[in-house]
Amino acid sequence: QHYKSITFIEDNMNTVLVDLGTNSKELTADKSSNTNSELDNHEQESYPPVLPAGKPKKINKKVNKINEQLKALGVEPNKRKGNCARAAIYRGHILLTDHPSDLDQVVLKGKLDCGDLVEVTLHDLLKQPDYGGSDYADLEYATVECKECTGGYRTYVSRICSGEAYFNNGKSHNHCTDCAVFGECIDDYERFHCDCCGEHYFGYESDECQCQDSDDDVMVKLVKDSRKRDNCYE
C-alpha cells in the first residue's frame, strides 16, 4: 500500500503520531539506551543491495527503480548511509514522485531535547549514517541539526524503515544493511548480523551466533542450508 504522504510527529521524545491521511494511530517508541562501538568511515560507496531468495527478479526491479529515482535527484547509493530511508521508500512509508521536491518532503517533525521544533526532510535522512557507533557523544555524523541552537544540536532518526521513526542520540541507531532489500533496524549497537542463519545476535555475549549450538530444527536447517553458500562458520 502506498500513501500520498506520511509524517511522523514526535513530542518530548516519548510518543510518535503517524499520520496516514485517512488513518492515524499512536505508537510508543522504544528509546533504549546503549553504549556504542567504533563508527565506520562514511565515504561514498556504491553497492548492490542484498536480495532475499524467492522473488529476486521482481524485488531487484523495484530496488533498481528506487536507486535510479534517487540517483536522478542527485543521491547515489551508499553502503553505509541512507539505507533506512531507502527501505522506508521500498515498503511504502515514503513516496517518490520523480520531482525534485521529493527530497524536501518532511518525514519527521518534533521537539528535540534542546526544546526547539525541527522538521526532518528525506534529504537529511538519505545522508544519515546507518550506524550511530560511538558518535552518540559528539553526534558529529548526525545529519539532523537544530538551526535555532547556538551549538547546532544534532540527532539521529531511527526506525524510518518500519514506519515508526523517532529521534535517537545514536546509542540505539543500528540499521543492518546485511539484511535483504536495503536492510532493517536492529536497534542495539552490539547486535550483529549472522551470515550463517541470517538472524541477529548480541556480540557482547559471544563472538559467534548462538545458532551454532542450537537444537532447534528450524535453526539447524538454516545453518545447514547456509553452509552450502560458504558464508557460515567452519
Side-chain angles (χ1 to χ4, degrees):
Q1 182 180 1
H2 292 275
Y3 308 112
K4 291 184 178 179
S5 64
I6 180 165
T7 303
F8 304 94
I9 310 292
E10 181 155 354
D11 184 23
N12 296 327
M13 307 294 286
N14 291 319
T15 303
V16 180
L17 179 66
V18 183
D19 178 14
L20 302 179
T22 57
N23 298 311
S24 294
K25 60 179 179 179
E26 205 170 40
L27 303 170
T28 301
D30 179 17
K31 307 292 189 303
S32 59
S33 198
N34 304 292
T35 326
N36 286 265
S37 58
E38 188 64 26
L39 184 66
D40 287 332
N41 178 26
H42 297 290
E43 295 298 326
Q44 178 173 302
E45 178 183 344
S46 295
Y47 72 104
V50 179
L51 297 177
K55 304 176 182 177
K57 187 176 291 187
K58 184 177 181 180
I59 292 172
N60 193 48
K61 184 177 180 181
K62 187 173 180 180
V63 166
N64 287 339
K65 181 181 179 182
I66 292 171
N67 283 336
E68 289 302 317
Q69 285 177 295
L70 292 175
K71 186 180 285 189
L73 297 175
V75 183
E76 296 285 341
N78 192 297
K79 175 66 176 176
R80 299 184 180 94
K81 292 182 182 179
N83 291 292
C84 192
R86 287 175 189 266
I89 295 170
Y90 182 91
R91 296 167 188 172
H93 300 308
I94 298 173
L95 183 65
L96 295 180
T97 64
D98 296 326
H99 192 277
S101 62
D102 286 345
L103 297 179
D104 298 324
Q105 63 180 295
V106 176
V107 178
L108 172 69
K109 61 181 177 181
K111 285 186 178 181
L112 299 180
D113 282 346
C114 63
D116 293 316
L117 183 71
V118 297
E119 294 187 343
V120 183
T121 66
L122 176 58
H123 191 252
D124 293 327
L125 300 177
L126 288 169
K127 297 185 297 179
Q128 176 179 257
D130 296 319
Y131 178 62
S134 58
D135 195 34
Y136 73 93
D138 301 317
L139 297 172
E140 179 182 356
Y141 298 101
T143 57
V144 177
E145 181 178 4
C146 176
K147 306 300 182 184
E148 304 297 326
C149 291
T150 304
Y153 182 89
R154 292 173 178 265
T155 185
Y156 282 90
V157 177
S158 297
R159 288 205 164 270
I160 315 156
C161 60
S162 62
E164 300 171 338
Y166 71 94
F167 295 122
N168 187 305
N169 67 359
K171 287 185 176 182
S172 301
H173 181 64
N174 187 2
H175 183 83
C176 177
T177 54
D178 287 323
C179 288
V181 193
F182 299 122
E184 63 180 64
C185 281
I186 57 176
D187 304 320
D188 196 298
Y189 79 103
E190 287 187 321
R191 290 189 76 189
F192 299 93
H193 184 96
C194 177
D195 289 331
C196 193
C197 67
E199 299 297 321
H200 302 100
Y201 65 98
F202 286 96
Y204 65 81
E205 294 177 349
S206 172
D207 290 334
E208 62 181 39
C209 182
Q210 288 75 16
C211 69
Q212 299 307 298
D213 303 317
S214 177
D215 294 325
D216 181 78
D217 290 341
V218 175
M219 190 64 72
V220 169
K221 185 178 186 306
L222 282 171
V223 173
K224 183 178 179 180
D225 291 344
S226 63
R227 281 182 175 149
K228 296 176 184 177
R229 301 194 300 267
D230 297 325
N231 63 348
C232 198
Y233 303 100
E234 295 296 333

